[in-house]
Amino acid sequence: MPGGDAREAAKTVTGSFEDFPFLPELPARGPGADMIGRTAGMLVELYARVEPSGWRIGDRPGRDTKRAWSWLGEDLDALEEFTQGYEGPLKVQAVGPWTLAAALELRNGEAALSDLGACRDLAASLTEGLRLHLAEVQRRVPGARLVLQLDEPSLTAVLRGRVKSASGYRTHRAVDRQIVEATLRDVVGVHDGGPVVIHSCAPDVPFALLRRAGAKAVSFDLSLLTERDDEAIGEAVEGGTRLFAGVVPSTDGRLSDPAGSVMGVRTLWRRLGLQPGLLATAVTVTPTCGLAGASPEYARQALAHCVRAARSLADNPE
């Protein structure tokens, strides 16, 4: 979300999404509130600090880690304030293990992705950190049914060997798909019994791999789909995987009418030959990606628009 006021953000998301609020991230506040720094602050017995090149793993919690803890605590306080008595689904999110490995640097300045041992340690630390985070959110909002979202925008680049080295002149070797899947499965498993959404706003989302890793839902930018994705999406829906379809632009612009926003979803459904009646239970309408680059006013409009577009989809599936 845009801006730096935790209470205002919590008020907005709980008011706009009465049936599915979420814990906002406010990266405009600076290092430690950004997606990488926020998740780095959740790690257990691993710490990170800001270098000119980005976040780098260090030996002890410094001011950047402590700032991340402080921002997260402030966000949790605000969410707790505006969810008193709430019962229902509540989404929290963190960066997934492979995007984190592509973004966090080792002491030599190379991405953790360059060392599979470091990737294993990072994933284990993240898993434990998420376990503690989920328990804390549940303590603060006891009536919530938690939904965990793992943000993996770099996943396709990791699978295809497109993550650049520190020098920028080469790329890191592609990680074996079985290793990627097994690591994701371990992290997903931390939310035992609860739904996990894996989000990627990049092209070529590996739907089948994410399903095998245990994701109950996949979040993506609908505009980036091609007909090559049809078979995987059809199998996902028929297998009970929910689609978080990003159809509302995440930066300022003119919003179409709600029915027009979900026209692409209806077109996809017809192309796949799926039953229109499935739409209401198989699709969640979302922005195409995070709203941090939008104005506060547009962010509020976009969230409200998602609700109206979802209602249009449910009321008129055909």
Side-chain angles (χ1 to χ4, degrees):
M1 292 288 287
D5 188 327
R7 291 187 74 257
E8 184 62 31
K11 182 180 179 181
T12 296
V13 303
T14 53
S16 299
F17 283 171
E18 295 177 359
D19 300 322
F20 194 19
F22 58 92
L23 176 63
E25 293 180 0
L26 302 173
R29 293 178 299 195
D34 61 299
M35 61 183 283
I36 298 300
R38 184 184 186 91
T39 301
M42 296 181 189
L43 298 176
V44 173
E45 296 183 358
L46 280 179
Y47 310 102
R49 65 179 185 272
V50 177
E51 297 286 342
S53 53
W55 283 90
R56 182 172 297 181
I57 294 173
D59 297 320
R60 61 185 64 85
R63 64 179 182 180
D64 298 319
T65 298
K66 292 173 182 175
R67 188 185 294 119
W69 292 344
S70 177
W71 290 137
L72 180 56
E74 185 178 306
D75 294 339
L76 287 168
D77 288 344
L79 182 73
E80 183 178 5
E81 178 184 349
F82 287 98
T83 51
Q84 293 294 312
Y86 174 74
E87 295 183 356
L90 171 67
K91 184 170 74 68
V92 298
Q93 62 196 60
V95 176
W98 292 108
T99 295
L100 200 60
L104 280 183
E105 299 174 356
L106 300 174
R107 291 175 179 81
N108 64 4
E110 286 294 350
L113 189 66
S114 63
D115 182 336
L116 286 181
C119 291
R120 284 192 295 272
D121 291 344
L122 190 59
S125 176
L126 174 64
T127 301
E128 180 61 15
L130 287 173
R131 185 185 68 78
L132 296 172
H133 179 55
L134 289 167
E136 175 65 10
V137 177
Q138 193 72 75
R139 183 187 70 79
R140 289 171 176 261
V141 194
R145 298 192 305 275
L146 297 184
V147 177
L148 173 62
Q149 176 174 310
L150 297 175
D151 290 326
E152 283 284 14
S154 298
L155 183 60
T156 301
V158 168
L159 288 167
R160 298 192 174 184
R162 293 177 180 169
V163 177
K164 289 188 176 181
S165 66
S167 68
Y169 293 118
R170 62 180 184 85
T171 56
H172 294 292
R173 183 180 305 173
V175 180
D176 183 271
R177 296 180 76 88
Q178 290 184 331
I179 294 174
V180 169
E181 182 181 325
T183 300
L184 281 170
R185 187 180 300 111
D186 288 344
V187 178
V188 166
V190 73
H191 196 24
D192 185 31
V196 177
V197 185
I198 299 183
H199 166 74
S200 177
C201 49
D204 301 319
V205 176
F207 287 92
L209 184 153
L210 298 180
R211 288 179 58 220
R212 292 194 302 270
K216 298 298 184 186
V218 180
S219 172
F220 57 94
D221 181 343
L222 186 77
S223 69
L224 297 179
L225 292 185
T226 68
E227 291 191 14
R228 294 195 309 271
D229 299 306
D230 282 4
E231 183 177 352
I233 292 174
E235 290 177 355
V237 173
E238 290 174 350
T241 302
R242 193 172 183 94
L243 304 181
F244 280 43
V247 299
V248 177
S250 56
T251 53
D252 290 41
R254 190 178 66 83
L255 292 169
S256 66
D257 67 285
S261 293
V262 289
M263 188 60 69
V265 178
R266 292 191 179 96
T267 300
L268 173 67
W269 231 245
R270 286 194 293 270
R271 197 165 73 227
L272 296 177
L274 295 169
Q275 292 294 323
L278 281 174
L279 277 167
T281 56
V283 175
T284 296
V285 176
T286 74
T288 54
C289 201
L291 292 164
S295 66
E297 178 61 26
Y298 178 82
R300 288 190 291 270
Q301 292 174 1
L303 293 179
H305 193 84
C306 286
V307 175
R308 291 194 294 270
R311 192 171 294 126
S312 167
L313 200 58
D315 292 344
N316 301 291
E318 302 195 51

